[in-house]
Amino acid sequence: MPDFKQFLLADTAEGLTEAEILGVRVKPGDEVAVNQIVVEVETAKAAVELPIPWAGRITEILVTEGQTVEVGAPILTIDVDPGGASANGSAPEEEMKPLVGYGSKTVTAKRRARREVAPEAPVAVKGGYVPLAKPPVRKLAKDLGVDLTTLTGSAEGVITREDVQRAAAPATPAAPMQTGARERRVPIKGVRKATAQAMVTSAFTAPHVTEFLTVDVTPMMELRERLKKHPSFQGVKLTPLAFAAKAVCLAAKRTPDVNATWDEATGEIVYKDYVHLGIAAATPRGLVVPKIRDADAMSLPELAVALEQLTATARDGKTPPEAMLHGTITITNVGVFGVDTGTPIINPGEAAILAFGAIKDMPWVVDGALAVRKVLQLALSFDHRLVDGQQGSQFLADVGALLADPAFAITY
């Protein structure tokens, strides 16, 4: 007999409650293998591809693209015994245990006779009906702020681009512009919603203090050019941010308070003997802060490679949720946008964040004479419950000294 299981939306990271369906990779009747990717979702932390823990035949898809579903909700139904092996006396294959975080729900009802659904029929989903439309049309509707449920498809029930564009255009072009006609509304969800909540919580929980330092990094840039020719850096993209990452790790050892956590629940300060370095990265889905685990144990070439991999993964929207948990201190590279500096907001659970500004040619006094030097600005925001002014100043000065003269690192 058939053996039906439902594939549920799991909590792919700590504390997630919902996710948006970005795409379903299978359809009813498809045969799938163990750990095959069947759906892509966007959580409050990142886009995640979900593998199914069983092999079998897909019998029903229970979600649609663009739908937001809660953790624990069924996504699809699969028959894990489509050949009826257990019914004809054959020994069934050993059942794979679900991956960590994934659950199943056995469907005990008998299989109902499948009936064909007319192409023009709307798809039934939780909370209403979603008329049929191709993914590009759904994206266009989302961009233009058009609610697909208010439209009737002109192509045998299927909504077209023209349907969406007509709905987005003013009814009478010559008529006066109505209030809001040049505005569009986009739901606050996913990464942007989570980031906003975290920043508001941090801003109104941790007392922020920000200090600034301008640094002549000409020696660092000269060292960078020399190292790029060294055999140990062949094939490595050595950026100024890698030097900043190394400097933060070294300076944190001298001022461990910037790498600590304020535990309100236990009334304790938790000092970390490791650095899980967060790197704030702008992505098409919003700001994410993936971590380089044990960054303090890495050499400069290893940090450079880790940064390149981290940013590439974040840019593609493929950062796994677990990579954004349990950071200890963060760098935000505002210089990549040509910005000098800013007043960054501390990530929740951390004590400090360093803004790394743009490196520019600027006039600078060297040995009493004016010269053109490579100069950048640093800004350090810190939690004044954990870090007082002396500690914050010392840490910022240490980072600046290491960037101004990398040889100073041998004294640490």
Side-chain angles (χ1 to χ4, degrees):
M1 294 181 61
D3 184 3
F4 298 110
K5 293 182 182 294
Q6 283 189 336
F7 181 57
L8 311 181
L9 175 63
D11 182 354
T12 56
E14 295 181 357
L16 295 181
T17 59
E18 63 182 21
E20 179 183 352
I21 305 298
L22 294 181
V24 180
R25 306 279 185 85
V26 293
K27 61 183 182 301
D30 284 354
E31 299 282 347
V32 296
V34 173
N35 290 344
Q36 179 176 331
I37 301 300
V38 294
V39 65
E40 182 180 13
V41 302
E42 181 179 20
T43 71
K45 296 183 180 293
V48 183
E49 294 178 330
L50 301 182
I52 193 164
W54 314 287
R57 180 182 297 121
I58 304 299
T59 59
E60 190 175 11
I61 305 298
L62 304 172
V63 296
T64 59
E65 180 185 334
Q67 181 184 353
T68 298
V69 297
E70 297 179 354
V71 167
I75 295 177
L76 57 80
T77 303
I78 179 174
D79 181 1
V80 298
D81 188 21
S86 57
N88 59 27
S90 301
E93 295 182 5
E94 182 180 355
E95 182 174 351
M96 296 291 296
K97 293 183 178 180
L99 300 177
V100 175
Y102 289 89
S104 65
K105 180 169 67 176
T106 301
V107 182
T108 56
K110 295 182 179 179
R111 174 184 281 182
R112 295 172 296 179
R114 296 177 61 184
R115 65 182 180 85
E116 297 296 327
V117 180
E120 66 272 11
V123 179
V125 297
K126 183 179 179 180
Y129 291 87
V130 178
L132 293 178
K134 295 181 179 179
V137 176
R138 292 186 184 279
K139 183 179 185 305
L140 176 64
K142 184 177 181 180
D143 292 342
L144 296 179
V146 174
D147 184 356
L148 288 177
T149 62
T150 65
L151 305 184
T152 300
S154 61
E156 297 183 349
V158 178
I159 297 173
T160 65
R161 294 180 63 88
E162 290 72 22
D163 295 333
V164 173
Q165 290 167 344
R166 278 195 297 270
T172 307
M177 185 70 71
Q178 300 297 318
T179 301
R182 291 182 293 174
E183 301 174 354
R184 60 189 178 93
R185 293 176 176 266
V186 178
I188 302 171
K189 57 186 177 181
V191 173
R192 189 169 299 279
K193 180 178 180 180
T195 301
Q197 291 173 339
M199 293 300 98
V200 170
T201 299
S202 176
F204 290 97
T205 301
H208 282 57
V209 174
T210 304
E211 293 186 343
F212 305 90
L213 181 65
T214 304
V215 184
D216 173 8
V217 294
T218 305
M220 180 195 80
M221 298 301 286
E222 292 172 346
L223 175 61
R224 177 186 176 222
E225 291 305 312
R226 294 199 304 272
L227 290 177
K228 287 165 66 174
K229 301 174 185 177
H230 193 275
S232 62
F233 285 88
Q234 293 303 304
V236 176
K237 184 179 181 181
L238 183 58
T239 64
L241 184 60
F243 286 90
K246 188 63 177 178
V248 165
C249 291
L250 290 172
K253 291 185 180 296
R254 301 217 325 175
T255 311
D257 304 83
V258 301
N259 197 50
T261 297
W262 182 278
D263 192 331
E264 189 72 39
T266 63
E268 298 172 326
I269 296 175
V270 184
Y271 291 94
K272 315 291 178 62
D273 293 328
Y274 56 88
V275 176
H276 289 344
L277 183 62
I279 303 295
T283 75
R285 293 187 175 92
L287 181 71
V288 297
V289 189
K291 322 298 179 186
I292 299 177
R293 306 292 176 190
D294 297 309
D296 56 314
M298 293 184 177
S299 65
L300 183 61
E302 290 171 335
L303 276 172
V305 171
L307 282 168
E308 184 177 8
Q309 294 173 343
L310 175 149
T311 53
T313 301
R315 195 183 308 115
D316 294 339
K318 300 299 183 182
T319 302
E322 62 271 15
M324 290 182 280
L325 302 174
H326 311 306
T328 62
I329 189 170
T330 294
I331 299 175
T332 176
N333 184 15
V334 297
V336 74
F337 302 108
V339 174
D340 293 330
T341 191
T343 54
I345 297 178
I346 305 162
N347 283 304
E350 299 179 14
I353 180 171
L354 180 76
F356 187 79
I359 299 174
K360 298 180 177 179
D361 289 336
M362 295 182 64
W364 196 262
V365 177
V366 180
D367 298 328
L370 196 62
V372 176
R373 305 287 283 182
K374 300 290 185 183
V375 177
L376 71 79
Q377 293 186 48
L378 302 172
L380 178 73
S381 292
F382 53 89
D383 184 340
H384 218 325
R385 297 173 301 174
L386 288 158
V387 183
D388 60 29
Q390 184 274 330
Q391 294 164 330
S393 299
Q394 182 63 58
F395 174 78
L396 184 58
D398 283 345
V399 172
L402 289 164
L403 296 178
D405 185 2
F408 193 57
I410 65 175
T411 67
Y412 279 61

